[in-house]
Amino acid sequence: MEVTLKYFGIIADIAQKKEEPIFIGQDSNTVKKLQSFIEVKYPKILVINYSIAVNEKFLQNDVELKNNDIIAFLPPFAGG
């Protein structure tokens, strides 16, 4: 299945891109497994506290991903 990864802020700087499609197999179809894959691909992300949203919603790490999901990697942000 194919999903789209979107990177924001410093995470986009680390990945050197703002977005990329990737193909994942049935063995890598949870948020947690995808997170592990990205941390291996971009190890500098390990020093950042970041959040992951799937289709604009923050979900549990064991949620299964579906074809065409959009996964956002969001760095910490300040607001008011």
Side-chain angles (χ1 to χ4, degrees), residues 13-27:
D13 294 341
I14 291 169
Q16 297 183 350
K17 59 187 84 171
K18 292 186 178 191
E19 183 176 309
E20 70 178 316
I22 66 163
F23 291 93
I24 57 174
Q26 292 299 331
D27 60 335

Side-chain angles (χ1 to χ4, degrees), residues 5 9 21 28-29 38 40 52 60 65-66 69 80:
L5 307 182
S28 302
N29 67 343
I38 292 302
V40 169
I52 299 174
Q60 299 296 321
L65 301 171
K66 298 180 209 81
D69 276 348

Side-chain angles (χ1 to χ4, degrees), residues 3-9 11-12 15 17-21 51-53 56 69-75:
V3 297
T4 300
L5 307 182
K6 292 191 174 197
Y7 307 115
F8 295 88
I11 298 171
K17 59 187 84 171
K18 292 186 178 191
E19 183 176 309
E20 70 178 316
S51 300
I52 299 174
E56 300 182 1
D69 276 348
I70 297 173
I71 297 94
F73 288 78
L74 305 161

Side-chain angles (χ1 to χ4, degrees), residues 43-58:
K44 290 182 181 180
I45 199 173
L46 290 168
V47 299
I48 301 168
N49 289 321
Y50 63 92
S51 300
I52 299 174
V54 179
N55 300 323
E56 300 182 1
K57 295 179 184 172
F58 293 101

